[in-house]
């Protein structure tokens, strides 16, 4: 491979070029083979320490990162905000500086504030891997989504990928958009106009408030979770109306091409954005996304650790 | 200090917008007032060649932070920073802690300003008690105390009926109502301008309509009550259009713009640097251009800093959690000179007017002129010299500036208040006065 990874952090796919994204995906393909072996552990991060700092709660992403770290033989510490000194009024920067002072190599962090990782990264010498920040970025989710698309479709260039739902508040959408555009996919965003900003059109993205129009030429449909609390803040009238007008169900699935794949980053609101019969149906790749997440996170940790080794001390 | 406080500023270019003066001439200073130089033939002559002498700059919008938050700024450091920025007068915003909604707190500020301040401090009281937007302050008594304007700056009175009554009542005391225009519900918990960059960055947006709605409200009520209303830190194109149109109809409205809204846009927020976080937020290039047009055509009469000091600790956090506001006193002139005069959007005399006659007219005070007999408040600057912003050398106690390290043209060389030099930069002759 001619290109090498030089970044000490993974903050967002906005910061990466197509070659760097492909490098992560190619590396993930190698690690996926490891996960299919009888012995699933490799010594790549032996002697390295990774801290999982979850300032915002998470189950699936944290579990996936933790397992990826174990499979790479890293030493792991998990810190949850609820039990950390952040609760005692310590600033985030102080908390992470203290973690760094323990010669930790990589901090995997999730935070509810957009840009929290961008704020920390230049102030630290350890690596920062973004496990989600507010509505800004969730790069490993987008990478695993794209990995899954490539696995099923053989590539992403020229594919029509539609993302449906609450785009406004979605870090998954903001990450997928950058990754997909950089790799040459055609992106459509769909959902209620209150949740799908027209501003995205300036990036060459199609924005639709009509479900049929949004999905009819899609090779991939990626559905986002609709959060019930949005209804209270007047973005749409009710979850039943959402399910009826913008949800993918027995009635609306007929707009989707037969060979289109159905994705969802989870957790699913069954019967709201996605009917159970589709979530569990033959076109769904939802659980394969979860499996691929492990390989993608192993690849990211491996590349970030490698760049830290190369950095002058 | 020179003997018996008489001196002549010689060899400089004098710009005095009120008389349309822009020529090389001498300015005499005697006993704190501007005099005809020929009346003081024996006075020391201070060579200011290469520099411009202008009336002392007036900042309509300074947060002193004292009382209440002296970790961020004090009356001493704020007025010293003002002097370094060429300001000889500042208007103190009332959102201190306690709020300047009563004569006692205002007396505290006046006392410290008189004893420790190095520039003139004009007092401003809040519109409502404790800035709560519920009950009006004792406006008549506060006028007697000597406040020059009223504002709930940092907040905006949401109750339209209360605002209507405040305007009616304030106008009978000939006090202008200054307003920070913001609809709280539309602004919500937004942290930046709603637009292209908030969409990309996933930071919660504040729509321009949040300001524009309240500007519309204020213009309607100002017309209805025949009150002087002043739009603080105007930031959106729609607000500028409304003010322009209302002025034509005879509504008594004035407006100020900040150096940061003239020079920066929301694209700067991609760094997630909280020194770009303020209210109103930085807007798009289109809005920025409209603000500059508003300055050029006279819709906006004044440049005001909205100098808002915050400690390093409070700003060194996640963007969402950082307080709104940046310091501005020590960067205002170089930023505006570079963005407006160097780029040929305003002439130098027009820019000087935005710092002098503009704000003086809004306040209705006798300042901002070099007319003989006027108080000798003088700002001396070099239009040629480069100014590199170095926050570690700020006189302000706080360093929350978005301009750190940036180079500008136009440098404040000396500041004179009531005849006394209060700041000088490489102007050794002035330093000997």
């Amino acid at each position: 491979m001619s290109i090498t990874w030089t970044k000490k952090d993974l903050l967002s796919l906005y910061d990466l070029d197509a070659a760097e994204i492909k490098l992560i995906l190619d590396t993930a393909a190698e690690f996926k083979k490891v996960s299919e072996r009888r012995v699933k552990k490799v010594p790549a991060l032996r002697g390295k320490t990774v801290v999982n700092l979850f300032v915002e709660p998470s189950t699936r992403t944290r579990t996936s990162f933790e397992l990826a770290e174990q499979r790479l033989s890293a030493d792991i510490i998990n810190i949850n905000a609820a039990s950390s000194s952040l609760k005692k009024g310590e600033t985030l920067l102080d908390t992470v500086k203290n973690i760094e002072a323990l010669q930790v190599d990589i901090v995997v962090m999730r935070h509810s504030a957009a840009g929290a990782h961008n704020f920390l990264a230049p102030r630290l010498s350890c690596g920062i891997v973004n496990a989600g920040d507010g509505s800004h970025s969730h790069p490993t989710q987008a990478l695993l989504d794209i990995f899954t698309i490539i696995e099923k479709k053989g590539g992403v260039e020229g594919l029509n990928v539609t993302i449906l739902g609450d785009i406004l508040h979605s870090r998954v959408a903001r990450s997928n958009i950058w990754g997909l555009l950089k790799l040459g996919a055609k992106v459509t965003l769909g959902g209620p106009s209150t949740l799908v900003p027209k501003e995205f059109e300036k990036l060459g993205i199609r924005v639709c408030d009509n479900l049929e129009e949004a999905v009819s030429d899609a090779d991939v449909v990626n559905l986002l979770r609709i959060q019930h609390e949005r209804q209270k803040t007047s973005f749409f009238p009710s979850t039943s109306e959402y399910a009826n007008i913008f949800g993918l169900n027995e009635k609306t699935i007929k707009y989707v091409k037969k060979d289109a794949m159905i994705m969802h980053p989870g957790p699913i609101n069954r019967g709201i954005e996605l009917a159970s019969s589709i979530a569990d149906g033959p076109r769904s790749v939802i659980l394969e996304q979860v499996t691929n997440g492990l390989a993608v996170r192993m690849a990211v940790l491996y590349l970030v650790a490698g760049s830290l080794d190369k950095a002058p001390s | 200090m020179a003997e018996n406080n008489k001196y002549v500023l010689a060899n400089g270019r004098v710009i005095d917008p009120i008389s349309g003066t822009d020529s090389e001439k001498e300015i005499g200073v005697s006993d704190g007032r501007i005099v005809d130089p020929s009346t003081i033939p024996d006075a020391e002559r201070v060579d200011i060649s290469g520099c411009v002498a202008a009336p002392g700059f007036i900042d309509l919008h300074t947060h002193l932070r004292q009382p209440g938050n002296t970790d961020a700024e004090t009356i001493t450091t704020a007025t010293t920073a003002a002097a370094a920025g060429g300001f000889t007068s500042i208007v103190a915003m009332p959102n201190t802690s306690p709020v300047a909604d009563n004569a006692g707190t205002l007396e505290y500020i006046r006392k410290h300003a008189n004893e420790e301040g190095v520039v003139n401090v004009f007092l401003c009281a809040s519109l409502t008690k404790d800035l709560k937007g519920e009950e009006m302050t004792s406006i008549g008594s506060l006028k007697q105390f000597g406040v020059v304007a009223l504002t709930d700056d940092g907040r905006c009175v949401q109750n339209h009926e209360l605002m209507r009554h405040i305007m009616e009542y304030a106008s009978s005391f000939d006090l202008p109502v200054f307003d920070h225009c913001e609809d709280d519900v539309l602004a919500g918990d937004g942290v930046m301008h709603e637009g292209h960059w908030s969409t990309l960055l996933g930071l919660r947006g504040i729509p321009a309509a949040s300001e524009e709605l309240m500007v519309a409200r204020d213009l309607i009520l100002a017309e209805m009550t025949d009150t002087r209303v002043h739009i603080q830190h105007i930031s959106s194109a729609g607000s500028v259009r409304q003010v322009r149109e209302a002025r034509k109809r005879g509504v008594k409205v004035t407006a100020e713009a900040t150096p940061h809204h003239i020079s920066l846009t929301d694209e700067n927020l991609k760094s997630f640097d909280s020194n770009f976080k303020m209210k109103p937020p930085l807007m798009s290039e289109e809005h920025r251009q409209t603000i500059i047009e508003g300055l050029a055509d006279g819709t906006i009469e004044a440049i005001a800093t909205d100098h808002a000091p915050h400690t390093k600790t409070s700003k060194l956090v996640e963007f969402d959690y950082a307080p709104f506001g940046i310091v501005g006193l020590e960067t205002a002139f170089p930023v505006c000179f570079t963005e407006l005069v160097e780029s040929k959007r305003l002439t130098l005399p027009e820019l000087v007017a935005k710092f002098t006659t503009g704000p003086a007219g809004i306040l209705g005070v006798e300042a901002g002129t070099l007319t003989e007999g006027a108080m000798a408040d003088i700002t001396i600057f070099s239009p040629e010299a480069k100014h590199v912003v170095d926050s570690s050398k700020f006189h302000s106690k706080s360093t929350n500036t978005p301009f750190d390290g940036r180079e500008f043209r136009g440098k404040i060389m000396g500041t004179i208040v009531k005849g006394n030099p209060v700041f000088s930069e490489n102007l050794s002759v002035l330093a000997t006065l």
Side-chain angles (χ1 to χ4, degrees):
Chain A
M1 231 171 285
S2 56
I3 171 150
T4 55
W5 183 264
T6 55
K7 293 187 162 66
K8 80 168 182 74
D9 311 297
L10 177 67
L11 305 179
S12 83
L13 297 193
Y14 177 77
D15 308 322
L16 305 186
D17 59 29
E20 287 171 316
I21 294 170
K22 283 179 186 154
L23 175 62
I24 299 173
L25 297 172
D26 290 346
T27 310
E30 297 301 315
F31 279 113
K32 185 161 184 186
K33 289 178 201 159
V34 172
S35 301
E36 286 157 359
R37 288 186 206 152
R38 199 168 54 81
V39 177
K40 298 180 172 61
K41 201 158 178 166
V42 291
L45 261 65
R46 192 155 64 196
K48 297 266 190 281
T49 310
V50 180
V51 166
N52 297 311
L53 176 61
F54 279 72
V55 183
E56 180 185 77
S58 153
T59 305
R60 78 185 53 220
T61 303
R62 206 201 63 206
T63 306
S64 178
F65 265 109
E66 215 177 308
L67 202 52
E69 292 149 12
Q70 285 175 353
R71 298 249 170 113
L72 292 167
S73 309
D75 296 315
I76 307 167
I77 303 285
N78 291 316
I79 302 176
N80 290 315
S83 58
S84 79
S85 44
L86 288 162
K87 277 276 171 202
K88 299 176 188 164
E90 188 177 50
T91 68
L92 178 69
L93 184 58
D94 281 342
T95 299
V96 182
K97 284 257 183 199
N98 274 277
I99 292 169
E100 187 183 47
L102 299 167
Q103 273 85 45
V104 164
D105 299 284
I106 298 172
V107 175
V108 174
M109 185 172 82
R110 169 166 288 190
H111 198 299
S112 58
H117 303 73
N118 300 65
F119 160 69
L120 285 178
R123 295 177 167 85
L124 299 167
S125 54
C126 66
I128 299 278
V129 172
N130 188 352
D133 62 323
S135 303
H136 175 227
S137 173
H138 192 359
T140 57
Q141 178 68 45
L143 288 163
L144 75 87
D145 290 344
I146 294 168
F147 185 93
T148 307
I149 295 171
I150 294 174
E151 205 174 50
K152 293 284 163 192
K153 297 279 183 186
V156 285
E157 196 172 347
L159 282 190
N160 293 320
V161 180
T162 295
I163 307 172
L164 287 180
D166 181 0
I167 309 294
L168 181 63
H169 302 96
S170 174
R171 55 188 170 215
V172 176
R174 280 184 182 79
S175 297
N176 263 284
I177 283 166
W178 291 120
L180 291 166
L181 290 178
K182 285 175 190 218
L183 296 183
K186 285 178 266 178
V187 179
T188 297
L189 303 175
S193 51
T194 47
L195 292 172
V196 188
K198 285 268 180 208
E199 281 293 328
F200 279 115
E201 287 176 346
K202 287 188 189 148
L203 303 178
I205 289 170
R206 187 170 61 144
V207 173
C208 297
D209 51 20
N210 175 297
L211 182 71
E212 181 177 357
E213 190 190 337
V215 299
S216 55
D217 65 353
D219 301 301
V220 178
V221 179
N222 196 349
L223 295 114
L224 303 177
R225 176 184 169 77
I226 282 295
Q227 291 171 290
H228 300 274
E229 62 263 30
R230 303 293 176 217
Q231 186 193 329
K232 294 190 199 108
T233 44
S234 71
F235 285 99
F236 57 90
S238 66
T239 45
S240 60
E241 164 137 335
Y242 186 93
N244 180 33
I245 309 282
F246 299 104
L248 215 50
N249 51 43
E250 313 270 330
K251 187 181 66 173
T252 53
I253 190 69
K254 66 172 184 282
Y255 304 135
V256 182
K257 291 197 294 189
K258 289 275 181 285
D259 63 344
M261 54 194 274
I262 306 293
M263 309 180 77
H264 194 301
I268 307 169
N269 285 311
R270 287 177 180 264
I272 299 177
E273 69 268 8
L274 187 59
S276 280
S277 61
I278 304 164
D280 304 330
R283 286 188 263 184
S284 166
V285 296
I286 294 169
L287 291 174
E288 285 160 271
Q289 288 173 263
V290 177
T291 305
N292 290 335
L294 189 61
V296 161
R297 289 176 178 123
M298 287 172 81
V300 166
L301 291 163
Y302 170 78
L303 292 169
V304 165
S307 81
L308 291 166
D309 283 343
K310 278 175 243 147
S313 55
Chain B
M1 198 61 54
E3 286 296 310
N4 62 23
N5 201 16
K6 292 187 201 315
Y7 56 93
V8 173
L9 299 175
N11 309 321
R13 173 180 169 192
V14 174
I15 296 178
D16 188 16
I18 213 161
S19 60
T21 304
D22 180 5
S23 59
E24 192 170 311
K25 59 179 274 195
E26 296 185 335
I27 302 173
V29 174
S30 176
D31 297 323
R33 293 202 175 262
I34 308 280
V35 298
D36 178 350
S38 66
T39 62
I40 46 169
D42 301 329
E44 185 178 341
R45 296 170 67 78
V46 181
D47 180 16
I48 59 163
S49 51
C51 289
V52 172
F57 295 170
I58 301 163
D59 184 28
L60 288 175
H61 202 137
T62 301
H63 295 276
L64 297 175
R65 301 295 190 226
Q66 185 181 353
N69 188 7
T70 49
D71 281 355
E73 195 78 290
T74 65
I75 289 169
T76 304
T77 56
T79 56
T80 311
F87 293 97
T88 58
S89 297
I90 56 180
V91 179
M93 291 296 104
N95 66 336
T96 47
S97 180
V99 172
D101 59 2
N102 65 88
T105 303
L106 286 159
E107 179 55 36
Y108 169 92
I109 297 169
R110 176 184 277 167
K111 176 174 175 289
H112 283 274
N114 286 341
E115 288 172 7
E116 298 141 31
V118 301
V119 302
N120 308 307
V121 176
F122 288 112
L123 298 174
C124 205
S126 62
L127 299 166
T128 67
K129 289 179 188 166
D130 210 22
L131 301 174
K132 285 193 171 137
E134 291 165 0
E135 285 176 81
M136 80 170 88
T137 50
S138 303
I139 290 172
S141 309
L142 292 164
K143 164 78 177 187
Q144 286 177 346
F145 183 85
V147 302
V148 295
L150 303 164
T151 179
D152 268 8
D153 182 56
R155 303 266 188 88
C156 178
V157 175
Q158 303 292 301
N159 178 332
H160 307 322
E161 189 201 28
L162 176 61
M163 193 61 167
R164 173 232 168 124
H165 289 144
I166 286 172
M167 284 194 189
E168 277 173 336
Y169 195 72
S171 72
S172 59
F173 297 97
D174 197 29
L175 274 177
V177 171
F178 283 26
D179 201 14
H180 162 126
C181 293
E182 178 179 18
D183 182 282
D184 287 351
V185 178
L186 267 184
D189 54 3
V191 295
M192 70 174 290
H193 171 57
E194 180 182 306
H196 185 65
W197 284 97
S198 69
T199 304
L200 297 195
L201 297 174
L203 287 168
R204 286 182 301 277
I206 301 170
S210 161
E211 177 181 277
E212 290 160 2
L213 267 178
M214 283 305 187
V215 169
R217 185 272 309 257
D218 284 356
L219 294 173
I220 291 164
L221 294 181
E223 185 167 21
M224 171 181 165
T225 60
D226 195 28
T227 305
R228 278 198 287 149
V229 68
H230 173 68
I231 310 300
Q232 296 179 289
H233 44 50
I234 196 166
S235 68
S236 110
S239 303
V240 176
R241 282 193 294 270
Q242 292 186 72
V243 170
R244 187 181 287 133
E245 187 273 333
R247 177 90 51 75
K248 268 188 202 145
R249 282 188 291 117
V251 179
K252 293 175 186 166
V253 58
T254 55
E256 68 184 35
T258 71
H260 44 278
H261 289 108
I262 292 163
S263 57
L264 302 171
T265 66
D266 55 351
E267 184 175 354
N268 289 103
L269 276 83
K270 63 186 176 189
S271 62
F272 290 98
D273 180 346
S274 65
N275 285 328
F276 292 97
K277 179 177 178 182
M278 73 289 288
K279 268 192 178 175
L282 296 174
M283 303 243 183
S284 66
E285 179 64 14
E286 178 210 338
H287 290 286
R288 186 180 84 90
Q289 288 299 335
T290 310
I291 299 295
I292 294 175
E293 283 161 25
L295 283 160
D297 71 12
T299 304
I300 303 167
E301 298 85 341
I303 288 166
T305 65
D306 195 3
H307 178 81
H310 290 289
T311 62
K312 248 193 188 111
T313 308
S314 69
K315 276 287 199 181
L316 206 55
V317 293
E318 300 89 316
F319 194 89
D320 277 355
Y321 307 156
F324 293 95
I326 59 167
V327 292
L329 286 169
E330 294 175 75
T331 50
F333 181 74
V335 169
C336 292
F337 181 83
T338 305
E339 291 291 341
L340 300 173
V341 179
E342 283 273 290
S343 64
K344 303 207 186 307
R345 305 296 292 272
L346 261 64
T347 65
L348 184 53
E350 283 169 345
L351 179 70
V352 169
K354 304 294 180 194
F355 281 100
T356 56
T357 46
I362 291 163
L363 293 172
V365 298
E366 286 180 22
T369 173
L370 297 173
T371 312
E372 281 166 25
M375 204 62 85
D377 289 350
I378 306 169
T379 298
I380 301 166
F381 61 85
S382 163
E384 299 300 323
K386 288 187 171 131
H387 180 78
V388 178
V389 178
D390 179 356
S391 68
S392 70
K393 298 204 170 107
F394 277 177
H395 298 76
S396 170
K397 218 168 167 180
S398 290
T399 56
N400 50 313
T401 176
F403 299 115
D404 210 8
R406 279 187 60 182
E407 184 181 293
F408 296 98
R409 279 279 292 281
K411 192 173 180 67
I412 300 297
M413 304 303 286
T415 309
I416 295 168
V417 175
K418 295 175 188 158
N420 300 317
V422 292
F423 172 77
S424 89
E425 172 83 37
N426 303 327
L427 206 64
S428 50
V429 196
L430 192 64
T432 64
L433 280 175

